[in-house]
Amino acid sequence: MIELEDYLFFASAEKGKVAETAPLLHNYALAYAMSWAVSPYYYKYQAPEYSQHLQPLNEKGIYIFPASATEVTHRLMQYNTTSESFLMTRAQSLGYPNWGFIKCIRPGARFETYSLSYKSLSFPSRIRLGKWMSQARLEVEEIAPEPGKGKQSPVMLNVQDLPKTPDYFTSMYNVLPTRLVKEAEWKEETEGYRVGEVFLPEAAFWQR
């Protein structure tokens, strides 16, 4: 379980002047937040290298699924800023505000996910998420999944990480850098694991 202790914001969709935060946590973001994957502090060019950062986790047998919200409420905030400039000129008048609205997730929201590993994992008690590096608290329960097959999975899945694309799903989120789906179904049984009644399909970071 992941519980927010701060307001969480990341732009999953931009509708006019409103930047919205979807009720989910991307599994790539979680991998970085857990410090399992590490990216450089500075990028000269905005070109993230997910395959280089995440695929070493496949060799270690570590994977975490995207997190779905179990309790969530949003708050709409307005921002009004002007761009910073190191060059003062009189070519145009000053005071062009950059304004809009942010739909963020309130503290107290809870998310649930599953992580798979060949060995016992060490989880931090708290992690940082989103554009504001919001703090979140973790509650971890160790379980022993059993290998099995299934045609349906209720958890949030990253299509990029699946060996076989689901044939059906109830929800899809086009959030960068990949698409996430929920309530996925396959026409034929696929390999994976069972945690009680929950089926987790076989998955690996940046598999496609």
Side-chain angles (χ1 to χ4, degrees), residues 4 64 66 77 91 97 151-152 175 182 185 205:
L4 296 183
I64 189 168
M77 297 181 178
K151 291 185 176 181
Q152 300 177 333
V175 292
K182 195 171 184 182
E185 295 186 25
F205 288 109

Side-chain angles (χ1 to χ4, degrees), residues 51-175:
S51 59
Q52 292 90 328
H53 298 162
L54 297 172
Q55 285 184 353
L57 298 178
N58 299 334
E59 300 174 5
K60 297 178 181 179
I62 298 174
Y63 184 78
I64 189 168
F65 290 89
S68 302
T70 57
E71 299 178 29
V72 65
T73 57
H74 287 83
R75 178 181 176 182
L76 192 65
M77 297 181 178
Q78 183 176 4
Y79 66 89
N80 189 344
T81 63
T82 56
S83 60
E84 295 183 1
S85 176
F86 293 102
L87 179 63
M88 300 294 292
T89 66
R90 295 182 179 274
Q92 64 180 20
S93 61
L94 302 177
Y96 287 89
N98 178 13
W99 65 275
F101 299 90
I102 289 173
K103 188 177 181 181
C104 56
I105 299 178
R106 294 175 181 268
R110 294 190 172 194
F111 300 83
E112 184 179 68
T113 188
Y114 293 88
S115 181
L116 299 174
S117 176
Y118 294 134
K119 300 179 181 180
S120 295
L121 284 175
S122 177
F123 290 86
S125 60
R126 283 172 170 79
I127 57 176
R128 297 279 182 176
L129 297 166
K131 294 290 187 180
W132 299 337
M133 296 297 288
S134 307
Q135 184 168 273
R137 181 178 63 88
L138 269 63
E139 285 187 10
V140 181
E141 178 183 358
E142 187 173 351
I143 52 179
E146 297 180 356
K149 296 183 178 181
K151 291 185 176 181
Q152 300 177 333
S153 180
V155 303
M156 189 82 71
L157 301 175
N158 186 339
V159 176
Q160 181 77 23
D161 297 346
L162 300 176
K164 186 177 180 181
T165 303
D167 297 296
Y168 310 101
F169 46 82
T170 59
S171 303
M172 181 176 71
Y173 298 90
N174 283 314
V175 292

Side-chain angles (χ1 to χ4, degrees), residues 178-198:
T178 64
R179 291 179 298 165
L180 306 182
V181 298
K182 195 171 184 182
E183 300 289 344
E185 295 186 25
W186 295 265
K187 293 179 181 178
E188 299 179 357
E189 286 190 332
T190 183
E191 299 286 344
Y193 304 89
R194 290 201 170 273
V195 180
E197 298 298 321
V198 177

Side-chain angles (χ1 to χ4, degrees), residues 10-14 20 22 24-30 32 46 48 50 131 158 160 173-180 206:
F10 55 88
S12 56
E14 296 183 11
E20 297 187 357
L24 56 86
L25 301 175
H26 202 291
N27 62 324
Y28 295 174
L30 290 174
Y32 286 106
Q46 191 171 358
Y50 294 110
K131 294 290 187 180
N158 186 339
Q160 181 77 23
Y173 298 90
N174 283 314
V175 292
L176 294 175
T178 64
R179 291 179 298 165
L180 306 182
W206 205 260

